[in-house]
Each structure stands twice: as structure tokens, then as C-alpha cells.
Amino acid sequence: MKSLVLFTLMLTMVLPILASAEDPVVAKIGDEKITMSDLNRIIGYYDPNQQKLFEQNPQAKSTLLRRIVQGMVISKIAKERGFDRDARIKEQLQLLSNDFLAAEYMKKEVIAKIDVAEEDMKLYFKTHPEEFTTPEMVKARHILIKVDKNALDEDKKKAKEKAEDILKKIRAGEDFSKIAAEVSDDSSSKTKGGDLGLFQRGKMVPDFEKVAFSLKPGEISDVFETPFGFHIVKVEEKKDPVIEPYEKVKDKVREKIFAEFRKVRVEEFIEKAMKDEGVELNLEPLME
């Protein structure tokens, strides 16, 4: 949409405003002038996020100005050489114009009139609790004794025995994080004493998650195997699933409902408009 807006502006923009000390000229193209107010007006055609980008980044604003001027200059050359009278180009311009007008009409006359009522939001929140629930989470440390997936049985046996010896030391009272920092083969967590932080289901391999989520805070697992090798896990904290308060997520609820309403209203409007115009589509030849 951004490129389409810019393209349309390049072709149709008329800039009759006279410059003043308060409204400096930022570009001249022959006898035509573009003032700061002209540029700001054009920036106002963009969505709020893009407008904010232009305001915060002078370089982005200067790039936009350059693109506008380039478009005006090159389109003038094209017109002088009759490109605007070429049937193929005129047809494409008409298609672009139709798309732009349709999009603007839908935005201002259909989408802008969609109202999301508070009761709709509360009903959605009540009937979709899973969308606003912080999942169960576990904070854990682990020690990995790595085993290559193609390792011989003898090598796997030695790795498991090493892990079992480590577990005995931990159960005898040695510090888990200290041992993890010394012997774990997981380079990403080793420097943190095996700390994996908080994680929810779906973030680790299933065999690892099965053990981690089965333990209570303070418990240490037996040695178990995953595709990476042999592990020992210590769970330090568990957080139960929590439904976020409505007031905290109401903006998110509004966005979800608005997206649903927009989809339905746009489809309904288009279907009615096409029906009112007597549109008939014969798609069979397209499938041959």
C-alpha cells in the first residue's frame, strides 16, 4: 500500500502553495515548488507508525522527498515522450487507480466505522481464556553429558556412568551449579551453572520437558536420556498457569475482535457490492 500511495502521489500531486519564511521550499522542479507543509501533508497520508518514523528520522524524510521529486521528474519525461498515451500503460494506471480508490474507500467507509463494544470484548475474553493465559513454566538447571547420536553402545555406557557418578556427588550434598559449571557439555548454560531460566512447554525436547515438568521445586531428577545425551535436572521454581486480568489485556482483546469484525464486514460489503453490480465470474477457462 505504501508504494501505491507514493506512486499515485507522484502522478497526481499539484503543489500551488507559495513558500514563506515559516514554510520553506524543500525542493524545486522547474517552476514547481515543494514546501515543508506540502511534504508534511504527504507524510500525513501514511499510517501512524510510518508517520512516527518520518518524524523521528530526518533521513527517512529526506529519502521520501527525493523519491517524490524523482517520480515527478521522470514521469514528466515519460509524458513528454507519450508514455501516458500508451494503451498498455493507461490500462495499468487505471488498475492501480482502482485498487487505490477501493482501498481508501474500504478504509474510510467500512473499516473506520467498525465499533467494538465493551460487552463484545468481555464475552470474547470469557470464552477464549486460553488466549490470555500465561502457561505453566519451570525454572531449572541441568547438566548434560553429551553423546553423539552415532556413538557405540560402549561409549553410551561410559557417558551414562559418568552422569551417574555426578548425580551421586550432587545427592551427597555437592553444589549443583558448581558441578554444572565444571562438567556440563552444554556450552550455553555451563557458564551459568547450568541455568536454563524459565521456560514453558514446547521450548525443549519432549523427553527433557517430561522430566522437568514432573519435578517439584528443589527436586533433582535421576539420570535420563534425550537425543543430546544424558541429563540431570534440578527444578528451582514452578509457575502455575495464570489467566491475565481483563484490564491488562483488553487492548489485545479489542485487536482480536476488530480483526474478526474487519474480515467479516469487508467480505460482506464486497459480496453485496458485486451482487448489486450484477457481477458474473466465469472461472472455468482459467482452470484449463
Side-chain angles (χ1 to χ4, degrees):
M1 180 58 68
K2 184 170 99 171
S3 61
L4 184 55
V5 171
L6 188 57
F7 184 74
T8 306
L9 288 170
M10 289 177 177
L11 293 173
T12 62
M13 188 164 48
V14 177
L15 304 165
I17 300 175
L18 296 176
S20 67
E22 294 77 25
D23 189 18
V25 173
V26 292
K28 291 178 66 177
I29 308 96
D31 294 332
E32 293 186 272
K33 298 176 182 179
I34 300 177
T35 66
M36 194 66 197
S37 62
D38 295 326
L39 183 60
N40 287 334
R41 185 177 69 254
I42 293 167
I43 289 172
Y45 297 149
Y46 288 80
D47 67 54
N49 288 333
Q50 290 172 310
Q51 290 181 40
K52 188 175 180 180
L53 173 64
F54 285 124
E55 292 305 316
Q56 294 176 344
N57 186 350
Q59 185 59 47
K61 192 178 287 189
S62 64
T63 298
L64 174 63
L65 176 63
R66 183 176 290 276
R67 289 177 64 188
I68 293 171
V69 171
Q70 287 175 350
M72 293 174 69
V73 169
I74 296 172
S75 65
K76 180 181 179 182
I77 296 172
K79 290 175 183 176
E80 289 172 351
R81 298 191 178 182
F83 272 60
D84 57 328
R85 297 187 295 277
D86 184 287
R88 291 176 64 255
I89 293 176
K90 288 172 70 174
E91 183 177 49
Q92 292 178 69
L93 286 174
Q94 186 61 57
L95 290 171
L96 288 169
S97 177
N98 289 345
D99 283 346
F100 178 72
L101 286 173
E104 286 296 298
Y105 183 88
M106 295 300 294
K107 182 169 68 176
K108 295 177 181 178
E109 295 298 323
V110 179
I111 297 173
K113 295 179 180 180
I114 295 173
D115 180 48
V116 178
E118 187 77 14
E119 53 265 34
D120 293 326
M121 293 167 60
K122 289 182 176 179
L123 178 61
Y124 188 95
F125 177 78
K126 183 178 180 181
T127 55
H128 297 78
E130 71 284 351
E131 295 184 24
F132 310 103
T133 299
T134 300
E136 179 186 14
M137 301 186 79
V138 163
K139 186 177 188 297
R141 294 179 186 272
H142 88 132
I143 295 170
L144 169 66
I145 304 303
K146 196 170 183 180
V147 179
D148 188 273
K149 62 181 180 179
N150 298 318
L152 299 174
D153 290 343
E154 183 63 27
D155 293 330
K156 291 183 68 174
K157 182 180 177 182
K158 288 180 180 179
K160 186 175 182 181
E161 288 174 351
K162 181 179 178 181
E164 295 284 4
D165 289 340
I166 293 169
L167 179 60
K168 287 178 184 178
K169 292 179 182 180
I170 293 170
R171 294 206 188 280
E174 293 196 34
D175 184 72
F176 190 103
S177 60
K178 183 174 181 294
I179 294 180
E182 292 172 352
V183 304
S184 180
D185 292 327
D186 179 10
S187 59
S188 63
S189 67
K190 179 176 182 175
T191 57
K192 299 179 288 185
D195 187 9
L196 297 170
L198 278 166
F199 57 90
Q200 63 191 59
R201 294 182 190 275
K203 298 298 183 181
M204 306 290 183
V205 294
D207 291 338
F208 189 93
E209 287 184 356
K210 182 179 179 181
V211 174
F213 280 89
S214 69
L215 298 173
K216 296 177 182 178
E219 286 188 333
I220 297 171
S221 73
D222 293 328
V223 172
F224 65 96
E225 187 178 4
T226 76
F228 297 102
F230 293 98
H231 301 258
I232 304 168
V233 171
K234 179 182 179 181
V235 168
E236 297 187 333
E237 181 183 353
K238 293 188 80 170
K239 290 190 174 184
D240 294 329
V242 177
I243 298 179
E244 297 287 344
Y246 172 74
E247 290 300 323
K248 184 177 179 180
V249 298
K250 65 184 301 183
D251 288 342
K252 184 178 178 181
V253 176
R254 181 182 288 108
E255 289 174 7
K256 285 179 172 289
I257 298 176
F258 183 83
E260 290 188 5
F261 283 5
R262 179 176 58 192
K263 183 175 184 296
V264 172
R265 303 283 171 80
V266 167
E267 288 178 354
E268 288 177 347
F269 182 89
I270 291 173
E271 287 300 315
K272 183 179 184 305
M274 293 178 70
K275 182 177 180 181
D276 290 346
E277 289 296 320
V279 173
E280 295 183 9
L281 297 176
N282 178 21
L283 302 180
E284 192 173 323
L286 279 63
M287 306 303 170
E288 296 177 355

